[in-house]
Amino acid sequence: MLSRRKLIKRLSTVPLLGGLVGGFSVPAEAGTVAAPKRDLFKEFGVRTFINAAGTLTYMTGSLMHDEVLEAINYASKEFCLLDELQDKVGEKIAKMVHSEAAVVTSGAFSGMTLGLAGILTGTDQKKVEALPHLEGTGMKSEVICQKGHDIVYNHALTNTGCKMVMVETVEDVEKAINEKTALMHFLHIQSDKGKIMHEEWVALGKKHNIPTSIDIAADVPPTENLWKFNDMGFSFVVVSGGKAMRGPQSAGLLMGKKDIIAAARMHMPPRGFNIGRGMKVNKEEILGMYVALEKFITQDYTKLWKSWEDGVAHVENTVKTINGVKTEVRVNPLGNHTPSLRISWDPAVVKVTGKQVQEALRNGDPSIEVGGGGPSSIGVTVWMMKPGQEKIVAKRIKEELSKAV
Ligand SMILES: *Cc1c(COP(=O)(O)O)cnc(C)c1O
C-alpha cells in the first residue's frame, strides 16, 4: 500500500485531482483553499533573480507596478475600439506631457520608426503602403544625426527606408540639409558626446524648416524630462514605458505635433499595409502605460529618491568595511538617473575578479545580477529591487569579497 506521504506526492502531480481533500472530491473552485499558483518560471527551469543591475532589456527591464497590473487585468476583461482608446488616452497623455498629441507605442524604438514614417508619408495612404521603399515616390529619404549620437537605436529610423547622414558641427548640418532631408534626430543620453546641444538643434531645424526629434528612452527621472523637450520645441519625443516608469516593457510614448502623430498612426495597428503592423499595442498596454505615467508623474519623487539613496548606502556601508575595498556613489546626469554604486578593490588584497564575483552572485541562492564586472569592480543599483532586497545583496557581496581576502 502507498504511504500517505507518497499518495499525496503522487496526487499533487495529477492536476485533475487537485481538489481531492480528505477523501472527498470537491470542485477546485468551490474549496475555501485557493488552488496553488503555478510557478511557471520553475516549470520551465528559468532562473529568476534579484536585479541589482538596472533597467536592462535582456534582464526583462523592470517590474510593473501593482496599479499597472490592475489596469492590464481590468482592460483584459472587456472589448473596445482600439482607435477610440488611443484617441482618448492619447489626448489625456498629451496634456500631461505638454505635447499637441501623443500615442502609446510598443516602445521608444517603435516610436522613432512611427514618428519618422509619419513625417515621410503624411496621411497619404499610397505613401504609407510604399514604405520602406522611398525611391521614385517623391518622399524625403535622409535623417541627420550627430556622430556622437550614432548608436544602435538609429536602426529604428533606417527601418523606414531612410539613410542616416552624420554631422559634427553646425556647418556640417547646414551643408547636409537638402531637399531630401526628412528629420534631424537627437539622442539625449549621448548629448555630451556631440558638439550641438538641444536648443541649438531645435533652432537649426526651425531655421531650415526641418522637423526635429529626440530619443529620451531611458532618461526619466527626472520627471520633468517628460515635458521639457516638448516645451523646447522638438517635433516629436519618444520615451520607454518599461524602464524607470515601470509600465509594460512592450510600451512607450510617442509625443509631438498633431499632424505627425496623426500620420504616425496611419502606420500603426489596427491598420495594416504598413511597416508598423507588427508594432502592436493593445488595450492592456495602452491603459497600463497610462497608469504607469500617471503614477510616475504624481509620485513623491523626493521620497523615492531617498529610498534609492538609503538602499545604496546600506550596500555601501556593508561592503566598505572589507580590507582593500573602495566604494563610490555616482549619479549619471543623462540617462538611468539613479544613485549607482561602484564597488572596487585592490586585486593584491582581494584576490578575485569582478567577473568571478558576478558569476558567484549569479550562481548563489537567491541568484543576484549586478552590473559591470570590471577587472576588480562591480556595479550596483537598487532602483529595480523590491523593498528589503538590498539587505540580501549587501550580505552576499560582502560574503563573496570577504572569501577572497
Ligand atoms: C531602451 C532604449 C531604446 C529602446 O526603447 P524601447 O522602449 O525598449 O523600445 C531606445 N533608445 C535608447 C537610448 C534606449 O536606452
Side-chain angles (χ1 to χ4, degrees):
M1 230 181 83
L2 283 171
S3 72
R4 190 176 154 76
R5 184 177 294 165
K6 268 192 189 148
L7 179 70
I8 287 170
K9 210 171 164 194
R10 260 192 208 181
L11 286 178
S12 71
T13 65
V14 184
L16 281 177
L17 295 182
L20 189 77
V21 181
F24 296 99
S25 180
V26 291
E29 282 176 20
T32 46
V33 187
K37 285 236 167 76
R38 278 181 81 175
D39 192 341
L40 286 160
F41 287 123
K42 204 167 167 190
E43 278 182 36
F44 284 99
V46 168
R47 177 177 63 98
T48 58
F49 50 82
I50 295 176
N51 180 355
T55 59
L56 296 149
T57 298
Y58 81 100
M59 291 187 190
T60 63
S62 61
L63 299 181
M64 287 182 272
H65 287 292
D66 289 343
E67 293 91 327
V68 173
L69 285 164
E70 277 162 26
I72 288 173
N73 275 324
Y74 163 83
S76 73
K77 298 196 193 323
E78 298 290 347
F79 288 97
C80 69
L81 293 178
L82 189 54
D83 271 336
E84 185 189 359
L85 187 64
Q86 283 281 32
D87 284 345
K88 289 180 176 164
V89 173
E91 203 175 307
K92 186 86 187 275
I93 290 176
K95 283 207 184 90
M96 292 158 89
V97 299
H98 309 188
S99 65
E100 285 179 19
V103 64
V104 176
T105 63
S106 60
F109 193 93
S110 66
M112 283 165 68
T113 304
L114 295 165
L116 174 56
I119 287 171
L120 294 171
T121 64
T123 51
D124 181 335
Q125 181 60 25
K126 258 219 173 94
K127 288 181 177 170
V128 170
E129 290 175 24
L131 253 55
H133 304 291
L134 300 170
E135 229 175 277
T137 62
M139 281 187 269
K140 297 178 192 251
S141 58
E142 292 179 3
V143 177
I144 296 174
C145 166
Q146 296 183 69
K147 244 186 201 158
H149 295 206
D150 183 26
I151 61 167
V152 291
Y153 299 110
N154 276 344
H155 213 104
L157 302 170
T158 56
N159 275 351
T160 61
C162 280
K163 69 172 199 167
M164 303 300 299
V165 178
M166 292 303 150
V167 296
E168 284 184 89
T169 62
V170 171
E171 294 71 55
D172 289 348
V173 175
E174 307 231 298
K175 248 192 264 162
I177 289 174
N178 66 73
E179 72 283 352
K180 287 187 268 181
T181 308
L183 179 69
M184 290 170 54
H185 182 66
F186 195 98
L187 178 59
H188 180 65
I189 202 166
Q190 297 274 104
S191 39
D192 58 341
K193 308 281 189 308
K195 296 196 168 85
I196 309 169
M197 294 306 277
H198 311 73
E199 271 107 344
E200 196 172 11
W201 194 255
V202 171
L204 273 165
K206 288 204 168 132
K207 179 177 165 195
H208 295 278
N209 205 20
I210 309 283
T212 48
S213 59
I214 184 167
D215 171 359
I216 60 161
D219 310 342
V220 295
T223 314
E224 57 268 23
N225 275 359
L226 282 167
W227 44 84
K228 183 174 173 183
F229 304 105
N230 288 311
D231 289 343
M232 206 179 272
F234 278 94
S235 313
F236 77 76
V237 181
V238 296
V239 68
S240 294
K243 291 177 180 169
M245 276 197 273
R246 294 177 54 189
Q249 186 53 199
S250 49
L253 297 175
L254 168 61
M255 313 164 258
K257 304 288 175 218
K258 240 189 181 108
D259 54 342
I260 295 178
I261 305 301
R265 285 184 59 187
M266 299 283 292
H267 299 265
M268 291 181 73
R271 282 155 291 277
F273 266 118
N274 54 42
I275 57 168
R277 181 59 178 82
M279 304 171 190
K280 181 153 67 180
V281 285
N282 203 21
K283 53 190 161 47
E284 290 80 11
E285 287 90 2
I286 295 169
L287 288 178
M289 182 70 246
Y290 171 72
V291 168
L293 175 70
E294 186 181 53
K295 187 171 168 80
F296 189 73
I297 290 178
T298 55
Q299 74 191 338
D300 185 342
Y301 182 61
T302 315
K303 201 170 131 195
L304 181 66
W305 189 269
K306 174 84 171 37
S307 76
W308 291 343
E309 277 183 339
D310 289 350
V312 162
H314 176 79
V315 181
E316 180 174 35
N317 292 333
T318 309
V319 302
K320 78 175 176 196
T321 54
I322 305 164
N323 192 21
V325 170
K326 272 192 313 192
T327 55
E328 189 199 350
V329 180
R330 266 186 262 176
V331 178
N332 185 350
L334 291 168
N336 299 310
H337 187 68
T338 187
S340 131
L341 177 67
R342 180 127 295 262
I343 305 169
S344 55
W345 53 89
D346 179 350
V349 183
V350 186
K351 296 185 183 69
V352 66
T353 67
K355 274 224 155 64
Q356 287 168 329
V357 173
Q358 228 174 358
E359 194 63 22
L361 294 169
R362 186 173 293 144
N363 295 330
D365 184 18
S367 180
I368 297 167
E369 287 288 344
V370 293
S376 357
S377 69
I378 54 169
V380 168
T381 62
V382 301
W383 66 338
M384 290 298 123
M385 288 183 194
K386 297 178 203 170
Q389 288 184 330
E390 74 282 359
K391 301 222 164 55
I392 303 169
V393 170
K395 183 170 157 275
R396 284 290 297 122
I397 295 174
K398 186 176 183 180
E399 276 170 12
E400 289 304 325
L401 292 178
S402 303
K403 258 196 243 170
V405 176

